[in-house]
Amino acid sequence: MVVPSELGIDDRISSLASPLLPPSEHPTWEAAAAAPRSDEEKLCIDDMLQKYCGEFGFWQLRHFVLTSFGWALEAFHAMVMIFADREPDWRCVNGSGSGCDDTAKTMCGLQPGSWEWVSGPGSSTVSQWGLVCSEKYKIGLVQALFFGGCMIGAGIFGHLSDSKLGRKGSLTVVCILNAIFGCLTAFAPDYFTYLLLRLLTGFSTGGVGLCAFVLATEPVGPTKRGAAGMSAFYFFSTGIALLSGIAYIFHSWRDLYIASSIPSFLFLVLVIPFISESPRWYLVRGKMDSAMKIMRTIAKVNGRHVPDSVILGLDEEANNSSNDNNQTCKAETATKEAITGSIVDVLRSPMTRIRLFLAVGINFLGSVVYYGISLNVVNLETNLYLSVLLNAVAEMPAFPITAVLLDKFGRKPLAIGTQWFSGIFCFVGCLVGNVGVWKVVRMVCGVLAIFGMAGTYNLLFIYTAELFPTVVRNAALGCATQASQMGAILAPFVVVIGGSLPFAVFAVCGIVGGILAYYLPETLNRPLYDTMTGLEEGESVKIGMLK
């Protein structure tokens, strides 16, 4: 036997080269790595969820519940003003000799010192700074500026969550700001400081709901996304119900602001570390390894498996592969160039521009009705805490009913039907009087109207999110949310008019909103597109098939 060490150099070279193919027939290592592999399969996220990961398994359920707690935080910061800015009970001071009458409906016109607040000056901002009579408009100004801050924040954080910060990063930032501004509000020394802090709280609150909604629903499969999205709003209503209990315990408005802000701190510590960034955001930002890591984790926790040969691709790449009748593709590198988009891109495309204008109009009109009727219910002459609790509970039946009908009839018919349902009962409410038994009829009309509009208002989040691709989804949803905040600003001024006119205004808004929804496309069982190109190509294929 001849060992290699005993061979000459030429013999060793010859013996090593002999088993190999000739150099001219053997590709280089680099060429082999770049060559397409026949066993690789490129799928978009929706297809991978359906085929390998599971559309709504344990991973999605846990992630959905944890993320949706953000809606309860938004309810705390948005609705705390109902209790903090309430007008407390007052009474005449015994022996004042000023002619004060306890049967009077208002203290306006009474001499200073002839009356006092029953629960003391620290129970609300109204009693703290005397925001009554000619100063009462300042309470409305606080509410308007809060929703104005929400409108600004929704647009800014909608853009940031689509770009550099991501969904989870934006949700973290807004919760930090909410906790800080909420606690600082409790120490406001005067009205104008309070006004500024409520504006800043609104700015951060405007990004909580939309970031939580998109982050919670993007990892859900297409056939489960509608029901999951509708379920998210249970957390908002539950937050309102919990807030009424917190307000019942903490009667001082300063204590109430601290108590309603502490959950934001708890969310940051106990929830944020255990939720994941959206794989869709990673995908459009070019972070392929991170996106695939989350998809494999989803599959593993759900008891499924993603084969090593399966990789993620953008929807436009999947469309191209389908058009070429080629289901294989070249292996992707760990990172790609990030794909970015903004609201400018939405406006440039005729398809998305029309969708955005319609979505903005519908969200604005729906918000006017929703917040307007909500204020009418809260202003009933009953126990304030019980009224707010019942108002929150009354909305809850709309969620399961809408969720069931959502996947049966589709987004578009339901958006039209719920708005017209609300508009019809508002119209009936404006026709009846407000005396005797007709008071009950008008109250029932209001309850049925808010039941219908609660379904619409929640459906619009799902519908709007599905109308736009991942790269601009939060930016578009931010614009729609801004429109909703504009409606929320207008609603109190409509309610102040009194009489039958508010119901007439709400009826018109509901009917017109349903008409606008008629011109939107149906998104039931349609994929969540990743890019503008993918959306346009996918919709073009759908239109061609319909023809």
Side-chain angles (χ1 to χ4, degrees):
M1 178 178 180
V2 179
V3 295
S5 59
E6 297 174 352
L7 295 174
I9 185 65
D10 294 336
D11 294 330
R12 278 183 281 174
I13 294 175
S14 176
S15 66
L16 289 173
S18 59
L20 303 178
L21 293 173
S24 59
E25 298 180 9
H26 181 68
T28 63
W29 182 88
E30 292 82 357
R37 289 167 48 187
S38 60
D39 62 338
E40 281 188 344
E41 181 182 15
K42 175 180 286 187
L43 296 175
C44 63
I45 287 182
D46 278 346
D47 291 339
M48 189 176 289
L49 287 170
Q50 290 181 309
K51 192 171 182 179
Y52 295 111
C53 302
E55 293 192 72
F56 197 78
F58 180 76
W59 189 95
Q60 285 102 331
L61 176 62
R62 180 184 63 85
H63 183 263
F64 177 84
V65 171
L66 291 176
T67 307
S68 295
F69 278 127
W71 279 104
L73 303 181
E74 178 169 336
F76 288 163
H77 292 285
M79 299 301 179
V80 67
M81 68 179 71
I82 296 176
F83 303 100
D85 299 339
R86 73 187 188 279
E87 183 175 310
D89 294 331
W90 61 278
R91 63 191 173 196
C92 293
V93 177
N94 293 330
S96 61
S98 59
C100 180
D101 186 0
D102 286 324
T103 61
K105 293 184 177 181
T106 177
M107 76 292 293
C108 299
L110 299 178
Q111 294 183 7
S114 64
W115 61 275
E116 64 181 4
W117 299 108
V118 173
S119 53
S123 58
S124 78
T125 59
V126 171
S127 57
Q128 183 83 62
W129 297 308
L131 307 180
V132 293
C133 303
S134 62
E135 299 290 304
K136 194 172 184 178
Y137 75 94
K138 291 183 177 180
I139 293 300
L141 183 59
V142 171
Q143 184 176 7
L145 284 184
F146 173 83
F147 286 117
C150 289
M151 182 176 63
I152 298 171
I156 292 177
F157 287 107
H159 172 72
L160 290 175
S161 62
D162 279 336
S163 54
K164 296 182 179 179
L165 287 182
R167 279 73 161 124
K168 181 179 177 180
S170 296
L171 183 60
T172 302
V173 171
V174 294
C175 287
I176 291 173
L177 294 177
N178 259 353
I180 294 173
F181 294 144
C183 288
L184 288 178
T185 303
F187 300 97
D190 52 55
Y191 169 78
F192 290 103
T193 305
Y194 175 71
L195 189 71
L196 175 61
L197 288 170
R198 286 302 289 165
L199 172 65
L200 294 174
T201 306
F203 170 76
S204 54
T205 302
V208 175
L210 72 93
C211 291
F213 179 84
V214 174
L215 184 58
T217 55
E218 281 193 335
V220 178
T223 64
K224 308 295 183 182
R225 193 178 300 123
M230 291 302 298
S231 301
F233 298 97
Y234 278 109
F235 292 85
F236 186 82
S237 297
T238 302
I240 298 175
L242 290 175
L243 179 65
S244 63
I246 294 173
Y248 184 79
I249 298 173
F250 297 95
H251 292 283
S252 168
W253 71 271
R254 297 186 186 274
D255 294 340
L256 178 59
Y257 269 110
I258 294 177
S260 61
S261 300
I262 288 177
S264 294
F265 283 111
L266 297 178
F267 185 83
L268 289 167
V269 176
L270 302 178
V271 176
I272 287 290
F274 300 100
I275 62 178
S276 300
E277 180 57 86
S278 169
R280 297 180 188 274
W281 181 79
Y282 277 136
L283 182 62
V284 298
R285 296 297 293 178
K287 301 179 180 181
M288 306 295 289
D289 270 355
S290 298
M292 279 303 302
K293 182 178 179 180
I294 293 178
M295 297 302 290
R296 295 187 188 281
T297 301
I298 294 174
K300 181 179 179 180
V301 174
N302 290 346
R304 309 282 287 271
H305 173 68
V306 178
D308 293 336
S309 59
V310 177
I311 59 174
L312 278 174
L314 297 170
D315 44 34
E316 62 183 78
E317 296 168 340
N319 288 340
N320 290 334
S321 298
S322 177
N323 293 338
D324 296 337
N325 296 318
N326 178 16
Q327 298 303 318
T328 63
C329 60
K330 183 171 63 177
E332 297 291 334
T333 57
T335 60
K336 293 178 62 177
E337 182 180 354
I339 300 175
T340 60
S342 67
I343 201 64
V344 176
D345 299 300
V346 178
L347 295 173
R348 283 175 180 168
S349 170
M351 179 183 296
T352 54
R353 180 169 63 243
I354 294 173
R355 292 183 178 190
L356 181 65
F357 289 159
L358 291 173
V360 164
I362 295 169
N363 276 270
F364 172 79
L365 295 172
S367 183
V368 171
V369 181
Y370 177 80
Y371 282 103
I373 298 177
S374 296
L375 289 175
N376 277 339
V377 174
V378 174
N379 287 333
L380 294 175
E381 295 181 0
T382 56
N383 182 279
L384 179 62
Y385 307 100
L386 182 61
S387 296
V388 175
L389 176 62
L390 293 178
N391 186 38
V393 173
E395 296 180 13
M396 292 185 178
F399 305 151
I401 293 175
T402 309
V404 171
L405 299 177
L406 193 64
D407 291 328
K408 185 175 182 179
F409 295 103
R411 280 65 164 150
K412 180 177 177 177
L414 208 58
I416 298 172
T418 52
Q419 290 185 91
W420 283 0
F421 180 90
S422 181
I424 289 172
F425 280 102
C426 285
F427 180 71
V428 174
C430 79
L431 295 179
V432 301
N434 197 31
V435 293
V437 69
W438 297 111
K439 279 187 175 183
V440 179
V441 174
R442 176 172 283 188
M443 182 188 69
V444 172
C445 288
V447 170
L448 291 174
I450 197 171
F451 168 81
M453 194 51 65
T456 302
Y457 201 68
N458 302 331
L459 164 67
L460 288 178
F461 260 87
I462 302 169
Y463 202 2
T464 305
E466 293 178 342
L467 287 170
F468 301 94
T470 303
V471 71
V472 294
R473 181 168 297 122
N474 264 26
L477 194 57
C479 284
T481 305
Q482 285 179 306
S484 296
Q485 304 307 334
M486 291 179 65
I489 293 172
L490 178 63
F493 297 102
V494 176
V495 173
V496 167
I497 298 174
S500 299
L501 190 57
F503 273 103
V505 173
F506 302 150
V508 172
C509 289
I511 298 299
V512 173
I515 294 174
L516 293 180
Y518 176 80
Y519 294 97
L520 285 173
E522 179 57 71
T523 59
L524 177 63
N525 293 331
R526 296 294 299 166
L528 277 185
Y529 294 101
D530 296 317
T531 64
M532 297 291 290
T533 303
L535 171 67
E536 293 172 354
E537 291 180 354
E539 293 301 292
S540 297
V541 171
K542 184 183 76 171
I543 294 173
M545 293 177 62
L546 292 176
K547 290 181 179 180

